[in-house]
Amino acid sequence: MKIVLPDGSIREYENEKSLNEIADDISISLRKKSIAAKVNGKIMDMDRVISADSEVAFLTEQDEESLEVLRHSTAHLLAETVKKLYPHAHFGVGPVIEDGFYYDIDLGEDVLTESDLGRIEKEMKKIASQNSRIEREVLSYDDALNYFHDDPYKVELIKDLPKDEEISIYKQSHFTDLCRGPHLPGTKWIKHFKLLSLAGAYWRGNSDNKQLTRVYGTAFFSKEELDDHLQNLEERKKRDHRKLGKQLDLFMLSEYGPGFPFWLPNGMILRRELESFWYDVHLKEGYKLIQTPIMLNKELWEVSGHWYNYKENMYTSEIDEQEFAIKPMNCPGGMLVYKRDIHSYKDFPLKVGELGLVHRHEASGALNGLFRVRNFTQDDAHIFMTEEMIVQEVKELVRLFEYMYSVFNLEYNIELSTRPESKYIGEIATWDRAEKALADALDEIGKPYKINPGDGAFYGPKLDFKLRDSMKRIWQCGTIQLDMNLPERFDLSYIDSHGEKQRPVMLHRALFGSIERFIGILIEHYGGAFPTWMAPVQVKVIPVNNDYHLGFSKDLVEKLQEKSIRVEMDDRDEKLGYKIREAQTKKIPYQIVVGDKEVESNEVTYRLYGEKEQITVSVAEFIDLIQEEIKLKK
Ligand SMILES: [Zn+2]
Ligand SMILES: [Zn+2]
């Protein structure tokens, strides 16, 4: 068999070989530092045996994918340790999540509190240091059921598997877990980890089932990375947008409308700035803007398919004895607008945008500040075109997304999701062409991307934009989706150059995703200290003494207001230090203190939020510099 390595070199072997043996054959040091291997794109344990031609890449601590293997192995170590400390414990599932892992545990009569986590962690370290090998074994369905007969949750999981499939289990020392893997070669790699918190979690997410104890944790290959991450977690707590939303008077939530946010005056400014930025850019890019109704009748949702596939998430009502639904998506309304006119290929690409308010039913337990709400504004657009235009349009979209994210200093990764294995509509050849067009667009502008095989929507392949904020969290925001479904369902057409009727290609795209959620992300990303162009209050003017400096201060405020700069004056009878501190807690970008010197020389002494230095400039210079900053969105 032939083994192709990442550098393109090929190794040939007569007989089957384990990944350990192949690594060893390349170099002993490679085998020693490899924690798993990627075989034809799939991550496998080092003792798995390869018997056919394959592409193999060995993973070491340096590879990002290794972290998931480490973290999942840490979850097994957690289970092994809990089993030792609480022998009657039973285990649910223990997957890897973003930034870490969890394990759901049934402790019977016992209750864990956060104060137990340190003790469990210590015991985990002791067990890990024994460096047990982690070994995979394969059982038949019946043997697996037999093996785990004492573990009700594992039995349930096994019963969900096909009877003719082999079932893998992983053993380390005295502990065995039902698991697909992959895992580390041994526990010695697990050194730098932390158990973080506890939560209740219903078995299989169903509130009719028993509530298990979910233990969250994380793990890294180095102490520095772990420390760095723990510090980040502290920062995230401080920057919680629900807390800052209250402190900065941005938004509120009320028990009278769970999941329906109220925007307060300061938050409204954030929103308006964000929306007008969006409108300006889209008009420049040649988009037409529309607004479609919040409520439309059942017939429309039947045509779009939502009535059959999405009804449980839709709010419905009745008007004149006819059933209506509040829109969960803007697309069907957009289709009606398209159908109003006869279109020609000469109109293409036709780009139609809408900041549309949608409502979706979310379980009350899932609601979370602005991150998970029941009504939100999608920054939607539909682009209608011919198939030949896809590559060019997608290239332009990626450039547009890049520009808009860069204004917020948000980095991103792109993922391409392809045709699902079974549930999809349309011809495979059409899918292949559509997927290739998306990939070609990215290749042509030199953007790297990751492929998620089978992760596309049933109606078409898509590109997802995963943003990374200042605390290294990943947020799925932007999306570009080709849709082969709605143009059919709504019978969309255009007239081609031969005067014949054709079906247009359509794509949906959203850049912020949801304005509400995006503002939530920005609040935490900036820690509430917004750049000047977005800041609800941009300048605070503080006269040192109301008897001497008030006139000049009022004059300055007026001059700034004339230039549409958002300014407030604090002329309360409070101590100067108190007023400065308050402007600090409100995170106002510019603080101007007006004293004798400023009044005499007609100058402004300002201090930027978070800086110590005070700078003195003329009033005219100050106005120029702040206007420039706002214009450039710095
Ligand atoms: Zn596992
Ligand atoms: Zn759409």
Side-chain angles (χ1 to χ4, degrees):
M1 66 177 171
K2 280 189 186 143
I3 300 297
V4 184
L5 298 168
D7 63 1
S9 66
I10 295 173
R11 302 232 159 195
E12 285 196 57
Y13 302 101
E14 295 264 307
N15 303 313
E16 57 176 35
K17 285 233 172 312
S18 78
L19 289 161
N20 260 322
E21 289 168 326
I22 297 171
D24 227 353
D25 183 47
I26 297 167
S27 78
I28 295 173
S29 70
L30 179 67
R31 196 247 305 145
K32 281 188 174 161
K33 67 182 184 193
S34 294
I35 62 128
K38 213 167 162 181
V39 181
N40 301 325
K42 201 177 158 222
I43 302 177
M44 292 187 168
D45 317 303
M46 288 299 287
D47 52 16
R48 290 293 286 276
V49 173
I50 307 299
S51 54
D53 291 355
S54 301
E55 284 180 29
V56 174
F58 290 98
L59 300 177
T60 70
E61 291 184 3
Q62 306 325 316
D63 292 286
E64 206 160 311
E65 288 148 313
S66 303
L67 263 185
E68 294 200 356
V69 182
L70 170 71
R71 286 171 180 166
H72 183 57
S73 297
T74 313
H76 276 220
L77 175 67
L78 166 65
E80 177 180 6
T81 309
V82 169
K83 190 79 190 166
K84 187 178 164 203
L85 298 173
Y86 305 87
H88 57 278
H90 290 301
F91 300 90
V93 291
V96 168
I97 50 173
E98 190 191 326
D99 289 341
F101 63 87
Y102 68 75
Y103 217 125
D104 286 346
I105 308 170
D106 181 350
L107 287 153
E109 300 295 302
D110 283 311
V111 179
L112 278 190
T113 65
E114 307 251 336
S115 62
D116 295 311
L117 297 181
R119 183 169 55 90
I120 297 173
E121 219 175 85
K122 233 170 147 181
E123 191 63 29
M124 283 169 74
K125 291 217 161 107
K126 225 162 86 189
I127 293 177
S129 67
Q130 292 162 0
N131 187 21
S132 314
R133 277 171 54 79
I134 302 174
E135 287 169 301
R136 178 177 184 272
E137 270 178 40
V138 176
L139 301 179
S140 69
Y141 180 89
D142 289 330
D143 288 345
L145 271 186
N146 201 18
Y147 194 99
F148 288 102
H149 69 275
D150 273 343
D151 270 290
Y153 303 106
K154 301 291 173 189
V155 166
E156 212 181 308
L157 293 173
I158 294 168
K159 285 187 172 164
D160 278 354
L161 298 172
K163 285 197 168 130
D164 50 357
E165 216 171 82
E166 290 190 319
I167 292 170
S168 60
I169 59 171
Y170 281 79
K171 290 187 164 176
Q172 58 194 60
S173 183
H174 304 297
F175 177 77
T176 306
D177 205 345
L178 171 75
C179 181
R180 279 202 187 86
H183 278 284
L184 299 167
T187 58
K188 73 163 179 190
W189 304 82
I190 310 173
K191 285 185 193 134
H192 309 289
F193 60 88
K194 179 104 191 138
L195 298 182
L196 295 167
S197 59
L198 293 168
Y202 293 108
W203 169 237
R204 314 206 106 176
N206 183 342
S207 58
D208 296 335
N209 290 338
K210 188 168 180 185
Q211 199 175 47
L212 309 181
T213 304
R214 178 168 294 180
V215 183
Y216 286 100
T218 192
F220 288 88
F221 284 108
S222 75
K223 184 173 183 308
E224 293 70 41
E225 285 166 303
L226 175 65
D227 288 348
D228 203 41
H229 181 69
L230 295 178
Q231 209 181 331
N232 245 330
L233 291 183
E234 280 305 306
E235 191 61 33
R236 289 178 197 179
K237 262 187 225 157
K238 268 193 246 158
R239 292 184 177 203
D240 187 321
H241 75 285
R242 291 165 299 188
K243 213 169 83 186
L244 285 172
K246 217 176 261 175
Q247 185 189 326
L248 304 175
D249 305 314
L250 300 174
F251 68 94
M252 63 176 245
L253 292 158
S254 157
E255 70 216 47
Y256 291 101
F260 300 111
F262 290 64
W263 290 94
L264 303 177
N266 282 341
M268 205 53 206
I269 289 173
L270 281 183
R271 224 194 132 112
R272 224 186 52 212
E273 287 295 345
L274 204 63
E275 290 181 353
S276 53
F277 174 44
W278 191 94
Y279 280 127
D280 288 350
V281 171
H282 282 77
L283 286 172
K284 259 186 228 158
E285 294 277 323
Y287 281 74
K288 314 275 182 221
L289 302 174
I290 59 169
Q291 189 138 57
T292 62
I294 298 286
M295 244 177 150
L296 291 158
N297 75 14
K298 176 181 161 190
E299 211 179 311
L300 177 79
W301 304 110
E302 283 175 343
V303 175
S304 71
H306 287 84
W307 198 260
Y308 310 107
N309 301 316
Y310 203 70
K311 190 158 181 268
E312 67 279 14
N313 298 313
M314 288 158 75
Y315 301 109
T316 53
S317 185
E318 239 174 60
I319 301 176
D320 295 342
E321 284 153 50
Q322 214 194 351
E323 272 194 282
F324 274 70
I326 301 181
K327 65 176 175 183
M329 290 173 201
N330 300 302
C331 323
M335 300 305 103
L336 296 184
V337 174
Y338 181 88
K339 278 177 82 76
R340 175 178 172 268
D341 297 311
I342 294 170
H343 295 276
S344 148
Y345 70 100
K346 288 184 201 152
D347 308 332
F348 285 174
L350 177 63
K351 306 188 268 192
V352 187
E354 172 172 15
L355 288 181
L357 181 64
V358 299
H359 290 67
R360 293 180 190 173
H361 182 255
E362 296 279 355
S364 57
L367 300 175
N368 174 12
L370 295 176
F371 290 160
R372 191 72 83 88
V373 289
R374 284 173 170 162
N375 74 342
F376 57 95
T377 307
Q378 271 194 324
D379 65 320
D380 242 327
H382 296 115
I383 301 180
F384 304 91
M385 58 192 159
T386 62
E387 198 176 312
E388 297 74 58
M389 292 175 175
I390 299 176
V391 174
Q392 182 57 27
E393 276 318 296
V394 172
K395 273 159 66 175
E396 277 180 27
L397 277 175
V398 175
R399 274 197 209 107
L400 172 68
F401 282 33
E402 171 150 298
Y403 162 64
M404 287 185 81
Y405 295 146
S406 74
V407 166
F408 305 98
N409 282 321
L410 289 164
E411 291 171 33
Y412 66 90
N413 290 315
I414 303 177
E415 298 183 3
L416 165 61
S417 296
T418 59
R419 180 171 50 82
E421 262 182 38
S422 53
K423 219 187 145 199
Y424 64 90
I425 56 149
E427 302 295 318
I428 290 187
T430 317
W431 274 86
D432 289 348
R433 282 204 308 277
E435 286 167 11
K436 184 171 180 307
L438 292 180
D440 284 351
L442 296 175
D443 289 337
E444 281 181 29
I445 47 177
K447 284 273 159 218
Y449 57 93
K450 184 181 137 194
I451 296 182
N452 291 331
D455 248 6
F458 76 91
Y459 51 76
K462 58 175 184 160
L463 298 178
D464 286 327
F465 290 70
K466 309 261 165 127
L467 304 187
R468 192 163 50 249
D469 71 12
S470 61
M471 291 168 293
K472 296 184 190 159
R473 277 178 311 183
I474 305 292
W475 302 95
Q476 153 79 58
C477 289
T479 184
I480 299 175
Q481 312 190 349
L482 271 159
D483 189 336
M484 315 183 202
N485 182 39
L486 287 185
E488 288 290 330
R489 280 184 171 265
F490 281 88
D491 191 24
L492 303 188
S493 64
Y494 71 95
I495 308 296
D496 71 9
S497 57
H498 308 291
E500 273 166 46
K501 227 167 135 180
Q502 302 287 354
R503 183 86 66 219
V505 168
M506 185 186 89
L507 54 84
H508 312 257
R509 43 116 290 183
L511 202 148
F512 297 144
S514 136
I515 298 272
E516 286 73 3
R517 179 164 162 274
F518 195 74
I519 290 177
I521 294 169
L522 290 183
I523 294 171
E524 300 196 2
H525 174 62
Y526 289 120
F530 301 105
T532 307
W533 71 275
M534 296 186 82
V537 178
Q538 295 166 320
V539 180
K540 189 79 150 190
V541 175
I542 308 172
V544 175
N545 185 318
N546 281 345
D547 293 334
Y548 306 113
H549 311 127
L550 197 58
F552 180 89
S553 299
K554 277 186 177 161
D555 206 37
L556 178 62
V557 167
E558 244 169 63
K559 279 184 189 146
L560 292 171
Q561 276 170 340
E562 259 170 45
K563 302 287 182 190
S564 302
I565 292 161
R566 295 186 289 270
V567 53
E568 277 180 1
M569 182 167 75
D570 189 351
D571 60 353
R572 292 174 302 168
D573 273 327
E574 296 284 355
K575 290 221 169 65
L576 182 64
Y578 175 83
K579 293 202 256 189
I580 291 176
R581 269 196 305 282
E582 199 186 72
Q584 282 283 343
T585 57
K586 296 285 178 193
K587 302 175 194 275
I588 295 165
Y590 285 92
Q591 294 166 37
I592 294 178
V593 175
V594 177
D596 289 341
K597 194 181 103 203
E598 285 76 23
V599 173
E600 275 159 30
S601 57
N602 193 29
E603 283 179 329
V604 163
T605 299
Y606 69 84
R607 194 165 71 156
L608 281 168
Y609 173 76
E611 311 253 327
K612 289 225 158 62
E613 195 191 0
Q614 298 196 24
I615 299 168
T616 304
V617 292
S618 73
V619 172
E621 277 174 307
F622 179 74
I623 291 176
D624 280 351
L625 87 90
I626 192 169
Q627 276 190 307
E628 186 71 2
E629 191 187 338
I630 291 167
K631 197 177 103 198
L632 296 176
K633 299 200 160 38
K634 285 219 272 206

